[in-house]
Amino acid sequence: MQDSQKKIKWYMLAFMAFSTLWGFGNVVNGFVFFNGIQVIFSWILMFALYFIPNALMVGELGSSFKDEGGGVTSWIRATSSDKLAYYAGWTYWACHITYIASKGSGGLKAMSWMFFQNAEVYDSLPTVYVQIATLAVFLIFCWVASRGLNPLKNLATIAGSSMFVMGILYILMMLAAPKINPDGGYQAMDWSLDNLIPTFDMKYFTSLSILVFAVGGIEKMSPYVNHMEGNSSKEFPKAMIFAAVMVIISAIFGTIAMGMMFDPAIINADSATFDSYAANGAYWAFERVGEYYGLGNKIMIVYALCNMIGQFSTLVVSIDAPLRMLLDDDKTNKYIPRKLLKKNKYGAYINGIKLIIVLAGSIILAQILVPGAATVLRQLTKLNSITMPLRYLWVFLAYIFLRKNRGDVKREFYFTRNQGIALFFGFWCFILTAACCMLGMISDDPMQMALNVITPLVLVALGVILPMIRAKEDKKLS
């Protein structure tokens, strides 16, 4: 009876994947960065050529190493070496530095919308004040993490679920709005083929990292591949494909809903307007839905509240969890200087938290030079789209190693039995991810360009230097 209760039906896993990996913010970013409804073409290509192969590769990795904890670090260790596993774990942690730097700004923006119900109050503040406030919030949550207290940790799941519900609610209400309020003043959309096919210029290719970031993270579903009800080789891909279909539907109809509200020509009128839509588009969307239904700002305030809780709770989790994943592992922390392994009396890695303060705090302070709070949020969105997908590279590398070097590993699920096809998609997804991250670094904004290039270089260099320091420490002790 207990075994049967642990089994997961394919449609349950599909909904778990959908709610975990997808959010309204992805719809907004796609619409803003890819010229409105033109993003639909790119979404379809990204899901077909990247998301589904990625999900099926993750399924095979999870099935192959079902007793390894299901993490990318353990996959790399099982297919290569402890040293490469350290670099995979380091990358996962380092990617969260930029993520952490953005959560404080996102939380303050949501709080501003919740209390003042407009974009102007937050965006008109001098950047130096905004970033000092962001730094203060960041330091407070670092202190909370250092005391072993994570009061918002349990809210992270609730906030994530509520944001998912709000995104679905937005789509349903917006698509029904013309019937309920025919005189709402909706935008007319051009559905001609010429308008739907994007312009494949440098701006397009340097923005693709936004879409890669949006559809990545499916490795979180890997532990469930061996807990499927029925034949996992059939049930898991069915779940992943159904999840992809749901995401595609959400992306397309969410984009159409936004197209009924916003004119891409206005969004792209100038850089200041673009930054404002990138920072405030989600709030304006819920604000207008409330207007169409005669509810005022009530729906927008609920969304802002959910987003504020989500941003701050994610900040706490992101400070604590990735650091513990890196430093708790005895097989990878042997490459990390002993000082970083020090715990305080609350069981927190105090020097690791101090390193986070230095790295993420530097990004926050560097943006004091940015001329506008809205521009800060746009820059952080772009920076996250470059750094966060770097962790996906290790998933594809582990899959390539598995197919080339560990063919003897037994698994219940195969992406494909054909070795050539398997390796093609492994290399394809690796190259596509790396190319999108590197192209994403290119920017006309000098500050954005500097952040995009310097941040990954510093994090990679630090990851290389730390094992050298540990080696010297070990040599002195031997």
Side-chain angles (χ1 to χ4, degrees):
M1 178 67 71
Q2 288 182 341
D3 289 342
S4 64
Q5 289 176 343
K6 292 179 181 178
K7 296 297 183 181
I8 300 174
K9 296 183 183 296
W10 69 268
Y11 54 85
M12 291 174 60
L13 184 62
F15 279 105
M16 286 169 61
F18 179 42
S19 60
T20 301
L21 303 173
W22 190 250
F24 183 63
N26 295 326
V27 176
V28 176
N29 288 336
F31 187 88
V32 172
F33 281 88
F34 286 86
N35 199 34
I37 60 173
Q38 284 186 359
V39 74
I40 292 174
F41 176 87
S42 302
W43 278 131
I44 293 172
L45 282 184
M46 189 61 69
F47 289 121
L49 300 178
Y50 188 83
F51 178 82
I52 292 177
N54 182 4
L56 299 182
M57 282 186 270
V58 163
E60 185 171 344
L61 283 162
S63 181
S64 300
F65 307 112
K66 57 186 177 182
D67 298 322
E68 296 281 348
V72 178
T73 303
S74 62
W75 296 341
I76 290 292
R77 181 185 298 118
T79 55
S80 56
S81 65
D82 286 350
K83 188 66 174 289
L84 272 184
Y86 155 75
Y87 285 120
W90 172 264
T91 304
Y92 184 84
W93 175 80
C95 288
H96 279 79
I97 295 299
T98 59
Y99 197 60
I100 289 167
S102 69
K103 292 296 105 176
S105 296
L108 289 175
K109 162 63 79 172
M111 186 183 295
S112 175
W113 267 98
M114 188 173 66
F115 287 116
F116 302 109
Q117 300 175 36
N118 63 60
E120 289 73 26
V121 172
Y122 185 90
D123 291 353
S124 63
L125 290 172
T127 311
V128 62
Y129 296 158
V130 173
Q131 291 310 99
I132 288 174
T134 301
L135 182 64
V137 168
F138 167 60
L139 292 176
I140 289 169
F141 283 115
C142 283
W143 177 83
V144 170
S146 73
R147 307 286 288 184
L149 302 171
N150 292 323
L152 296 181
K153 208 168 186 178
N154 294 332
L155 291 176
T157 302
I158 298 173
S161 300
S162 63
M163 288 290 286
F164 164 72
V165 171
M166 291 298 293
I168 299 299
L169 183 65
Y170 166 79
I171 294 172
L172 294 176
M173 291 184 72
M174 193 55 220
L175 294 179
K179 295 290 185 183
I180 295 172
N181 182 8
D183 300 320
Y186 310 103
Q187 291 287 331
M189 289 176 282
D190 181 2
W191 290 102
S192 66
L193 188 61
D194 290 340
N195 187 57
L196 289 176
I197 303 299
T199 302
F200 297 105
D201 53 12
M202 184 56 72
K203 180 185 176 183
Y204 178 85
F205 289 109
T206 56
S207 298
L208 277 177
S209 59
I210 295 281
L211 302 188
V212 172
F213 180 32
V215 300
I218 193 68
E219 67 275 3
K220 296 174 185 176
M221 295 296 106
S222 63
Y224 302 108
V225 69
N226 296 296
H227 298 284
M228 300 295 299
E229 184 178 277
N231 186 346
S232 63
S233 63
K234 294 181 179 179
E235 299 300 298
F236 186 82
K238 187 194 299 184
M240 292 300 99
I241 291 172
F242 189 71
V245 170
M246 287 193 293
V247 171
I248 291 172
I249 291 172
S250 176
I252 292 174
F253 284 101
T255 300
I256 293 171
M258 292 205 72
M260 295 165 65
M261 288 183 167
F262 304 115
D263 183 354
I266 295 176
I267 294 174
N268 293 292
D270 54 63
S271 59
T273 305
F274 182 90
D275 290 350
S276 189
Y277 272 91
N280 301 293
Y283 302 100
W284 281 329
F286 279 96
E287 185 180 52
R288 292 196 185 182
V289 166
E291 291 173 359
Y292 296 147
Y293 282 82
L295 297 173
N297 287 335
K298 292 183 178 65
I299 299 177
M300 181 275 293
I301 292 171
V302 172
Y303 174 78
L305 174 63
C306 294
N307 198 19
M308 182 191 71
I309 295 171
Q311 296 283 338
F312 287 147
S313 59
T314 302
L315 175 57
V316 174
V317 173
S318 297
I319 291 170
D320 183 63
L323 186 64
R324 290 186 181 277
M325 289 176 65
L326 177 67
L327 302 184
D328 278 346
D329 191 331
D330 292 334
K331 293 183 180 178
T332 54
N333 67 19
K334 63 185 178 182
Y335 299 104
I336 294 172
R338 286 183 168 82
K339 286 185 177 180
L340 287 178
L341 303 179
K342 179 184 176 182
K343 291 184 178 181
N344 62 14
K345 62 181 180 180
Y346 303 105
Y349 287 102
I350 186 63
N351 289 334
I353 292 175
K354 289 178 181 177
L355 181 60
I356 291 173
I357 291 174
V358 171
L359 295 173
S362 297
I363 296 174
I364 293 170
L365 290 175
Q367 291 184 301
I368 287 176
L369 303 173
V370 175
T375 303
V376 169
L377 288 167
R378 186 261 298 162
Q379 285 188 350
L380 289 172
T381 298
K382 198 69 168 65
L383 181 60
N384 274 319
S385 77
I386 294 163
T387 55
M388 291 297 279
L390 291 174
R391 58 191 171 140
Y392 309 152
L393 293 173
W394 292 103
V395 175
F396 306 127
L397 198 60
Y399 186 72
I400 293 168
F401 286 157
L402 172 66
R403 295 302 299 232
K404 290 192 72 174
N405 307 325
R406 296 298 305 274
D408 58 319
V409 175
K410 293 181 180 179
R411 56 267 207 191
E412 295 179 9
F413 172 73
Y414 283 83
F415 166 31
T416 174
R417 297 276 182 175
N418 187 292
Q419 182 79 339
I421 294 175
L423 290 174
F424 169 80
F425 277 104
F427 280 108
W428 160 254
C429 289
F430 183 94
I431 293 169
L432 180 63
T433 304
C436 288
C437 289
M438 288 188 287
L439 285 170
M441 294 179 181
I442 301 170
S443 176
D444 295 332
D445 179 350
M447 182 64 184
Q448 177 85 72
M449 183 83 168
L451 276 174
N452 293 350
V453 174
I454 293 172
T455 303
L457 286 178
V458 168
L459 293 174
V460 169
L462 192 58
V464 173
I465 292 169
L466 291 186
M468 298 178 183
I469 297 174
R470 178 59 184 264
K472 287 185 179 180
E473 290 178 347
D474 292 344
K475 191 174 181 180
K476 285 182 181 178
L477 293 173
S478 62

